């Protein structure tokens, strides 16, 4: 069990909260820039354990990926249902009719943005203003495409990673220097570059590629040689993460806010290498990463929205900007992980 990766999953889930509830000032800019590794990391770690290195036959790959696809579809249905019910209740409470809510949220215009970019009012609206569920739909797209193209997965994945990452960063440069309008929408719109194609696909494939690389090294080297290699990986991983953190901040200063920085890519690569070096995740925090990071990711926006609505209605005071991220983190750990974990443990004892 890789407790280090579980620890990073916990940290990444906290970083997603920090992105959606920013700290103020320069500190907030630094936190935002360095936190941008989080979503790419979740994609990469999904790919890391998706297709084992020794699984080369198309039927086996499809069987494995198909199970992950079905699991993700079920999870997405539950999360989407929760947010849809919340959205409906919110709009009914502010005086909108059911048909008004339905027609504003589900129409051909919004369907276009959803199917192209995993965004639009299909996945967020006035009740919750962050389209974080795009991640789940992007995973569904990626798993579906890997299932279809399983026969050529390992023939294409290296080239595809390079091509898609090139267009991701090139597209983000266009946002600054030549804002084109693909599909009639500005490239500056966040989801034009941040979607299943330019973020989901390359980072999931990167996880698969890394899995193959590690397995090939284990097969080719003796135990002594492999232990020596791990020492080099540990140094490489730490250096790359450090460079990635600095790079993300510098890129923010030069280019402004972006969904994924080159520094984000470097941090993910460094984490993948460190995860193979026998580093432990400590005593406690990795458990939250294992048991609660996914649900914290999926439901933190609901917590943010509920607090905002309570504040707007005067039931609670306005939360200071620098307090809000920490408060959301604490509430999510308590409500989304600690209390459910405690209840489940009590049921097991009985």
């Amino acid at each position: 069990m890789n407790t280090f990766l579980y620890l990073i999953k916990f940290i990444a889930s906290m970083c997603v909260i920090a992105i959606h509830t920013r700290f103020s000032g320069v500190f907030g800019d630094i936190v935002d820039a360095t936190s941008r590794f989080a979503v790419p990391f979740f994609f990469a770690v999904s790919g890391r354990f998706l297709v084992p290195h020794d699984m080369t036959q198309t039927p086996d790959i499809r069987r494995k990926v198909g199970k992950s696809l079905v699991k993700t579809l079920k999870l997405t249905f539950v999360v989407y249902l929760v947010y849809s019910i919340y959205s409906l209740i919110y709009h009914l409470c502010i005086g909108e009719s059911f048909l008004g809510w339905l027609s504003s949220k589900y129409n051909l215009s919004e369907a276009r943005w959803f199917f192209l970019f995993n965004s639009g009012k299909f996945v967020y609206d006035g009740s919750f203003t962050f389209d974080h569920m795009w991640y789940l739909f992007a995973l569904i797209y990626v798993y579906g495409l890997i299932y279809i193209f399983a026969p050529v997965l390992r023939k294409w994945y290296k080239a595809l990673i390079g091509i898609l990452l090139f267009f991701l960063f090139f597209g983000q440069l266009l946002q600054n220097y030549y804002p084109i309008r693909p599909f009639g929408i500005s490239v500056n719109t966040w989801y034009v570059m941040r979607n299943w194609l330019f973020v989901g696909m390359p980072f999931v494939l990167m996880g698969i590629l890394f899995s193959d690389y590690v397995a090939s090294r284990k097969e080719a080297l003796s135990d002594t040689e492999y232990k020596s290699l791990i020492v080099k990986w540990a140094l490489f991983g730490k250096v790359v993460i450090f460079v990635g953190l600095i790079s993300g901040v510098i890129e923010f200063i030069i280019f402004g806010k972006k969904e994924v920085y080159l520094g984000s890519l470097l941090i993910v690569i460094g984490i993948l290498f460190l995860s193979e070096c026998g580093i432990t995740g400590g005593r406690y925090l990795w458990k939250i990463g294992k048991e609660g990071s996914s649900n914290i990711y999926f439901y933190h926006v609901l917590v943010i929205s509920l607090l905002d609505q309570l504040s707007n209605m005067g039931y609670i005071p306005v939360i200071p900007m620098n307090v809000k991220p920490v408060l959301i983190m604490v509430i999510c750990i308590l409500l989304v992980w600690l209390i459910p974990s405690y209840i489940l443990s009590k049921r097991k004892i009985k």
Side-chain angles (χ1 to χ4, degrees):
M1 181 169 57
N2 196 324
T3 58
F4 173 76
L5 275 180
Y6 287 131
L7 172 63
I8 301 300
K9 289 182 75 173
F10 165 71
I11 294 172
S13 67
M14 297 297 102
C15 286
V16 172
I17 293 175
I19 291 171
H20 290 155
T21 55
R22 285 175 51 87
F23 292 97
S24 64
V26 175
F27 178 72
D29 293 336
I30 293 172
V31 171
D32 186 88
T34 54
S35 294
R36 293 286 166 174
F37 83 93
V39 176
F41 163 74
F42 280 120
F43 280 119
V45 81
S46 296
R48 171 66 180 86
F49 301 102
L50 183 63
V51 181
H53 175 64
D54 57 357
M55 189 174 286
T56 57
Q57 298 300 311
T58 298
D60 295 331
I61 294 174
R62 284 180 170 164
R63 190 178 303 111
K64 180 70 165 55
V65 175
K67 288 180 180 179
S68 296
L69 177 59
V70 170
K71 181 180 178 181
T72 305
L73 283 167
K74 291 178 179 178
L75 177 59
T76 304
F77 174 80
V78 173
V79 176
Y80 192 78
L81 180 63
V82 169
Y83 278 95
S84 296
I85 293 172
Y86 175 75
S87 173
L88 176 59
I89 294 172
Y90 168 82
H91 284 90
L92 291 177
C93 288
I94 63 173
E96 190 168 337
S97 68
F98 172 77
L99 289 178
W101 169 80
L102 195 66
S103 61
S104 66
K105 193 172 179 69
Y106 301 104
N107 55 65
L108 290 178
S109 176
E110 295 301 329
R112 176 172 58 167
W113 308 133
F114 173 72
F115 288 111
L116 284 175
F117 305 118
N118 314 128
S119 191
K121 288 186 179 179
F122 271 48
V123 294
Y124 78 105
D125 52 38
S127 60
F128 52 98
T129 55
F130 302 106
D131 60 340
H132 68 298
M133 282 187 286
W134 78 274
Y135 168 79
L136 286 169
F137 289 105
L139 268 186
I140 291 170
Y141 275 41
V142 173
Y143 288 164
L145 288 169
I146 291 175
Y147 184 93
I148 294 169
F149 293 102
V152 293
L153 170 63
R154 289 187 169 95
K155 293 179 182 178
W156 291 1
Y157 67 166
K158 292 180 182 178
L160 203 54
I161 291 168
I163 292 169
L164 293 178
L165 287 177
F166 168 80
F167 280 107
L168 169 64
F169 294 115
F170 179 68
Q172 291 188 146
L173 282 176
L174 290 177
Q175 292 174 337
N176 287 80
Y177 302 110
Y178 195 75
I180 60 174
R181 294 183 63 84
F183 304 102
I185 186 169
S186 173
V187 73
N188 283 311
T189 306
W190 71 96
Y191 52 71
V192 173
M193 300 310 306
R194 184 232 60 189
N195 50 57
W196 64 272
L197 180 60
F198 297 121
V199 178
M201 182 64 78
F203 281 98
V204 170
L205 292 179
M206 185 186 299
I208 299 174
L209 174 60
F210 183 77
S211 175
D212 287 348
Y213 171 72
V214 170
S216 68
R217 293 295 82 201
K218 287 181 178 179
E219 291 177 357
L221 301 176
S222 66
D223 289 343
T224 302
E225 290 172 328
Y226 187 72
K227 289 178 181 178
S228 177
L229 180 61
I230 285 177
V231 174
K232 296 177 182 178
W233 282 354
L235 177 61
F236 174 76
K238 293 173 184 176
V239 170
V240 170
I241 290 173
F242 177 76
V243 173
L245 292 170
I246 301 300
S247 176
V249 175
I250 294 173
E251 289 173 78
F252 171 81
I253 295 171
I254 297 173
F255 303 113
K257 180 180 175 181
K258 300 296 178 186
E259 294 297 327
V260 180
Y261 296 105
L262 178 60
S264 310
L265 170 63
L266 295 177
I267 293 171
V268 171
I269 292 172
I271 289 170
L272 289 175
F273 276 97
L274 279 184
S275 69
E276 298 300 320
C277 298
I279 301 173
T280 64
R283 298 182 62 182
Y284 302 110
L285 293 182
W286 70 267
K287 295 180 180 179
I288 307 177
K290 179 183 179 183
E291 301 169 2
S293 61
S294 294
N295 283 333
I296 289 172
Y297 187 123
F298 301 145
Y299 296 111
H300 75 278
V301 169
L302 185 60
V303 175
I304 294 171
S305 180
L306 285 170
L307 287 183
D308 287 345
Q309 300 309 324
L310 290 173
S311 178
N312 292 336
M313 291 184 289
Y315 291 112
I316 62 174
V318 176
I319 304 169
M321 190 172 181
N322 286 326
V323 174
K324 191 173 182 179
V326 178
L327 180 62
I328 298 296
M329 291 175 189
V330 171
I331 292 174
C332 285
I333 291 172
L334 290 174
L335 294 183
V336 181
W337 173 72
L338 185 60
I339 294 175
S341 179
Y342 176 78
I343 293 172
L344 286 174
S345 65
K346 286 295 183 181
R347 288 181 178 177
K348 289 180 181 178
I349 292 174
K350 291 180 180 179

